[in-house]
Amino acid sequence: MDKLVRNIIISVVVVLLLGAAYVAISVIPGQIAERNIEEQQAEKGDIAVFRTAVENVSSVKVTNEKGSYTFMRDETGTWAIKEYPEFLLETTSIESAVYGLSNIYA
């Protein structure tokens, strides 16, 4: 009976050690790599204050001392100025500006 109890205790200890080794091998290196990335970004000043995909932005209102206007995206993904629909805009430059406004870093 004593041998059986001893073998069960040894088996439980071995299983616990194997579980701890698995956690140490699989989880901890990922956390270390993630921490290193966060530290590198903090050194560069790349801390995301606000971030969203350009596809999620449907309009941007711009206001300055001379007036205001609104960039709007239609169903086809083409950008236009709401107040001046006759103007043709270069989509890449508008998307670049919208990206700058929708992704703010410190």
Side-chain angles (χ1 to χ4, degrees):
M1 185 77 163
D2 289 334
K3 282 187 168 187
L4 180 63
V5 172
R6 187 186 71 187
N7 288 339
I8 291 174
I9 292 173
I10 290 173
S11 298
V12 168
V13 170
V14 168
V15 168
L16 290 175
L17 288 174
L18 288 174
Y22 173 76
V23 169
I25 290 172
S26 65
V27 175
I28 293 174
Q31 291 175 348
I32 291 171
E34 184 177 315
R35 179 74 178 188
N36 288 339
I37 291 170
E38 288 174 0
E39 288 175 0
Q40 289 173 353
Q41 288 177 342
E43 289 173 2
K44 293 180 194 174
D46 286 343
I47 299 171
V49 175
F50 178 78
R51 184 178 3 183
T52 186
V54 176
E55 294 81 25
N56 295 336
V57 179
S58 61
S59 68
V60 175
K61 183 169 185 161
V62 179
T63 304
N64 60 25
E65 63 275 353
K66 296 186 180 186
S68 67
Y69 53 93
T70 307
F71 292 115
M72 304 266 315
R73 183 172 31 193
D74 62 9
E75 301 81 31
T76 63
T78 305
W79 289 92
I81 299 177
K82 179 181 177 182
E83 294 80 12
Y84 306 103
E86 67 276 0
F87 290 162
L88 297 175
L89 302 174
E90 186 176 332
T91 303
T92 55
S93 49
I94 300 301
E95 284 185 358
S96 176
V98 170
Y99 178 83
L101 292 170
S102 62
N103 294 286
I104 299 173
Y105 294 93

